[in-house]
Amino acid sequence: MVTITQTTTQGPGPARKQGRWRRLPVVHQLHQSVGIQRGMLVAGLVLTALFVLAAIFAPLIAPYGFSQLRDEDGAFGAQQPPSPEHLFGTTVGGYDVLSRVIWGTQTGLGVIVVAVLLSIFAGVALGLVSGYFGGWLDRVLVVICDAIYAFPTLLLAIVMSIAISGGQSSLWGGILAAAISITVVFIPQYFRVIRAETVRIKSEAYVESAKVVGTSNLRIMFRHVLRNATRTLPLIFTLNASEAILTLAGLGFLGFGIEPTSAAEWGVDLKAALSDVSSGIWWTSIPPGLAILLTVLGVTLVGESLNDLADPRLRGRRAVSAASGTVAETSVVPGGTLSAGPGGLAGLENEGRP
């Protein structure tokens, strides 16, 4: 008979506090990730955090306003090269490039927040009702959501932009135009996920028990089904946020974005810099292009990493020795003690052999 005991050295207080921190969403995924998977997640979180912080503190970070053309020394001048006064130079319209790149983060973050919040509320509500009640309503909603996929995202965004603001957008007009068009496209994604989870959860034993005791459908939907069906929403949110940035930039590049005097937007600045490229003026196009690239890259890395960590088949594994604990040397075995060293188990196997 072999008796193996496992010892732990953590106290109840620190272990409890450490366990609470590890249950937080981002911290939990960081603890799960290993190797290149952790590197991708950390890189994505850093880029995304820089984007969010720049949007929040843009009035403090930006050296000038997004539509400012002059200071106490006079006008900035158009297409001025990088200098100590203007680190990234000035645009063809005379705006400071660095300031417009920083202020553009506020516009991008606003589109992400509005679009994803509208998509989540509409998609979750429709998916919950459709999956729980089923019937003809479920079939109609499924057909409508399938039909929406036939519309290209950018084309729908152009139509919505013209319908809302006539193509000449103010700050909130441009944000709503892009956000509403993205919302219409994103709703089917949230609808499908929530509907599939609702169909699975409503057949669980605890839902059937709630029905037996007379619980109302509304209470079952929101207290039992909704709480368990929305666990994958953060993954969809991160993957869709990058598409929102690209749609907003596409609208601005095609001439349906926000006016430069109303707000800073990277797509509009890229369109204005098209004529500069052929003249050898690089500083008006590279900064906003890099801002779009790094923001989309950061959000995509976070989304893909979370998606991999949520799938046990794609999740990396830690070393067995680090996860299995320490085998105590006081374990009693026939003929002596059993150790976790290289020859411990091998010696036990060979003990009874001639």
Side-chain angles (χ1 to χ4, degrees):
M1 179 179 179
V2 179
T3 304
I4 300 177
T5 60
Q6 187 171 351
T7 60
T8 57
T9 57
Q10 293 180 343
R16 186 180 298 112
K17 292 180 180 179
Q18 187 178 16
R20 290 177 180 175
W21 279 104
R22 288 184 177 179
R23 285 194 295 269
L24 295 176
V26 177
V27 179
H28 177 65
Q29 273 78 24
L30 281 174
H31 181 70
Q32 277 186 316
S33 60
V34 292
I36 189 173
Q37 203 172 56
R38 173 172 291 183
M40 291 173 57
L41 180 57
V42 171
L45 288 174
V46 170
L47 292 175
T48 305
L50 289 176
F51 167 69
V52 174
L53 290 176
I56 295 175
F57 298 105
L60 302 177
I61 300 174
Y64 306 102
F66 60 84
S67 60
Q68 186 174 345
L69 296 174
R70 59 190 305 118
D71 57 8
E72 62 273 7
D73 297 328
F76 294 154
Q79 298 176 327
Q80 296 297 313
S83 63
E85 292 78 17
H86 306 281
L87 295 181
F88 289 172
T90 60
T91 67
V92 66
Y95 303 110
D96 181 68
V97 176
L98 176 60
S99 299
R100 287 193 61 84
V101 169
I102 295 175
W103 282 100
T105 57
Q106 284 193 338
T107 308
L109 184 62
V111 170
I112 290 176
V113 171
V114 175
V116 175
L117 285 180
L118 291 176
S119 303
I120 287 178
F121 280 115
V124 168
L126 292 176
L128 191 64
V129 172
S130 178
Y132 187 82
F133 292 106
W136 65 269
L137 179 62
D138 179 44
R139 291 192 294 271
V140 170
L141 290 176
V142 169
V143 171
I144 292 175
C145 289
D146 289 340
I148 291 177
Y149 281 113
F151 292 92
T153 306
L154 191 55
L155 179 59
L156 184 59
I158 293 174
V159 174
M160 295 301 301
S161 176
I162 296 175
I164 293 176
S165 57
Q168 301 295 322
S169 298
S170 61
L171 172 60
W172 286 107
I175 289 178
L176 288 176
I180 292 175
S181 63
I182 296 169
T183 297
V184 175
V185 177
F186 284 177
I187 284 176
Q189 301 180 21
Y190 294 98
F191 169 81
R192 285 173 173 269
V193 172
I194 298 301
R195 177 184 175 275
E197 288 294 310
T198 302
V199 171
R200 179 186 63 84
I201 293 172
K202 73 175 184 179
S203 60
E204 296 289 339
Y206 60 88
V207 176
E208 297 294 337
S209 301
K211 293 180 180 179
V212 170
V213 299
T215 307
S216 64
N217 289 328
L218 190 63
R219 183 177 178 84
I220 293 175
M221 288 170 59
F222 286 96
R223 184 174 180 83
H224 300 292
V225 179
L226 181 62
R227 293 175 59 183
N228 295 284
T230 56
R231 295 179 180 178
T232 58
L233 289 186
L235 305 181
I236 309 176
F237 165 78
T238 53
L239 294 175
N240 288 345
S242 59
E243 188 174 347
I245 290 291
L246 292 176
T247 302
L248 177 65
L251 281 174
F253 189 79
L254 294 175
F256 298 96
I258 303 172
E259 290 296 313
T261 55
S262 300
E265 201 275 298
W266 297 329
V268 173
D269 292 341
L270 281 178
K271 180 189 177 184
L274 281 178
S275 59
D276 298 341
V277 176
S278 59
S279 304
I281 300 175
W282 54 268
W283 56 84
T284 58
S285 58
I286 290 182
L290 281 177
I292 297 174
L293 173 64
L294 294 178
T295 302
V296 172
L297 177 63
V299 177
T300 303
L301 285 176
V302 173
E304 292 294 338
S305 300
L306 294 178
N307 186 38
D308 291 348
L309 292 172
D311 190 344
R313 297 170 298 178
L314 302 176
R315 188 187 308 152
R317 295 183 178 180
R318 293 183 178 274
V320 177
S321 59
S324 59
T326 304
V327 179
E329 293 186 358
T330 56
S331 302
V332 179
V333 299
T337 61
L338 175 65
S339 64
L345 294 177
L348 178 61
E349 292 177 358
N350 297 329
E351 183 178 346
R353 297 181 183 178

